[in-house]
Amino acid sequence: MGLELIKEVLSLLDLDHSDYKLIGGYNNNVFEVGSNKTTFIVKILEDCVVSEQISLAESEWLNYLLSRGVTVARPMHKQGKDFIQRINNDYYFVCYEKINGIHIHQTNNEVWRAPLFENWGEAMGHIHTASKAYKANHAFPSWNENKILLQFESAQLPPYLVEKWLKHIEVLKKLPVSSDNFGLIHGDLHHGNLLIRGDSLSVIDFGDSEYHWYAYDIAIVIYHTSQAILKSERNNFVRHFYEEFMKGYVRGNSDTNFLQDINYFIQFRHLYSFTYHSIYADKSQLTEQQLEYLKNMELSLINEEPYLNLTFN
């Protein structure tokens, strides 16, 4: 993301060109801006990557979750203008209130333990329960409109990957769909999208929300949480994590007749994650360790190795 874009945003917001700090985003497009007393979050987006329709859907969904008591970032209308503000013909930006809290690190043993896992599960459970009653004016995409599913056949992927995707799509078409097992999910609720302050947990970044099976949302959490765990220790960690996570989840959503599908969706996420990086990652910018990790992912997919040797229920 070029610096000229954030400077244009600062000008539109009547802020000094030094009043910003890059805080993240896959494309380095999320900033904290403003003075110390009035900081907020700005996300710069490209139309061809994230449409205005999707950003409006996210804004509407966040406001609904806030009304249901879920702690998420509140969309802002700066200077009385629309939520979406144009920068130029290709880019626009949106603003959110800054949530007071710190990011969670797996090495922080004071935080990375059972109470966090429970609260994490409860937050997801409340999101899924809210989804059942939610009536959107601006719709998120459904699972079969996900950009990876729309692009994998034209992305020059190895034939074995294309074949795996085609098989998965046929399986997904046959999965049962009801209000108890399918709805609007977060879509990327790894620990990097949580903020903690005392006993309070906040959820951020709903940019990957879509209509999907709730089991997939839980599978995403398990998959990404276990990635940093040594392979030899992964099953034991996930067994403990899942038990604590689900204690909280059922407080937020008591309908759990879909848990048997979690293992399938962990394998699905493994393929999705490798495909995503195959399409979008700039290999020249990756470290040797990251390249090795991707190679091992590819080998596990070729050899059809299970990511975990566990059964979920």
Side-chain angles (χ1 to χ4, degrees), residues 218-228 265-267 269-271 273-274 293 297 307-308:
I218 297 175
I220 290 168
V221 173
I222 294 170
Y223 177 77
H224 290 290
T225 301
S226 63
Q227 278 185 310
F265 279 117
I266 288 174
Q267 291 300 115
R269 186 63 175 189
H270 192 47
L271 174 62
S273 184
F274 179 74
Y293 187 84
M297 286 180 75
Y307 184 77
L308 294 169

Side-chain angles (χ1 to χ4, degrees), residues 69-300:
V70 182
T71 306
V72 298
R74 187 182 301 277
M76 299 177 68
H77 292 246
K78 294 300 294 180
Q79 301 171 330
K81 297 180 181 178
D82 292 337
F83 174 62
I84 291 175
Q85 296 193 49
R86 300 298 313 184
I87 303 171
N88 54 39
N89 290 335
D90 299 316
Y91 290 89
Y92 64 93
F93 72 95
V94 292
C95 302
Y96 304 90
E97 287 184 1
K98 179 186 175 183
I99 295 176
N100 290 320
I102 60 171
H103 283 284
I104 295 163
H105 298 282
Q106 290 175 302
T107 55
N108 185 346
N109 293 328
E110 292 184 4
V111 173
W112 191 254
R113 54 197 182 94
L116 167 66
F117 305 156
E118 275 196 53
N119 290 339
W120 193 345
E122 185 172 2
M124 178 171 281
H126 285 305
I127 291 169
H128 292 174
T129 294
S131 170
K132 297 173 188 180
Y134 182 57
K135 305 298 181 185
N137 292 316
H138 298 90
F140 279 101
S142 190
W143 68 270
N144 56 350
E145 298 170 302
N146 184 285
K147 60 184 177 182
I148 293 296
L149 273 71
L150 296 177
Q151 293 177 14
F152 75 88
E153 289 190 273
S154 61
Q156 298 183 326
L157 296 174
Y160 82 91
L161 274 185
V162 175
E163 183 180 352
K164 283 182 179 294
W165 273 114
L166 293 173
K167 287 180 179 178
H168 272 300
I169 289 171
E170 289 307 306
V171 170
L172 291 172
K173 286 179 179 178
K174 296 174 183 176
L175 282 183
V177 173
S178 74
S179 60
D180 289 339
N181 71 1
F182 185 95
L184 192 51
I185 67 169
H186 181 280
D188 199 25
L189 196 49
H190 54 74
H191 66 278
N193 283 331
L194 298 171
L195 293 173
I196 191 168
R197 186 184 186 190
D199 295 329
S200 176
L201 194 68
S202 302
V203 179
I204 60 173
D205 194 359
F206 284 74
D208 289 318
S209 288
E210 61 183 347
Y211 290 96
H212 216 299
W213 286 267
Y214 296 138
Y216 182 46
D217 223 9
I218 297 175
I220 290 168
V221 173
I222 294 170
Y223 177 77
H224 290 290
T225 301
S226 63
Q227 278 185 310
I229 308 298
L230 291 173
K231 193 172 182 179
S232 60
E233 301 173 4
R234 196 173 282 164
N235 284 337
N236 285 336
F237 168 79
V238 169
R239 191 177 290 111
H240 166 68
F241 175 85
Y242 177 73
E243 180 180 346
E244 302 301 330
F245 184 90
M246 289 307 298
K247 285 180 185 176
Y249 183 87
V250 296
R251 292 200 297 267
N253 179 26
S254 59
D255 296 320
T256 58
N257 60 350
F258 52 79
L259 300 181
Q260 69 278 0
D261 294 327
I262 291 174
N263 212 37
Y264 167 77
F265 279 117
I266 288 174
Q267 291 300 115
F268 177 87
R269 186 63 175 189
H270 192 47
L271 174 62
Y272 183 98
S273 184
F274 179 74
T275 305
Y276 189 95
H277 291 300
S278 296
I279 294 174
Y280 295 111
D282 182 351
K283 303 293 195 303
S284 67
Q285 299 300 311
L286 299 181
T287 66
E288 289 289 334
Q289 185 178 7
Q290 289 170 327
L291 290 169
E292 181 68 19
Y293 187 84
L294 287 177
K295 184 62 178 176
N296 288 334
M297 286 180 75
E298 182 175 23
L299 288 172
S300 70

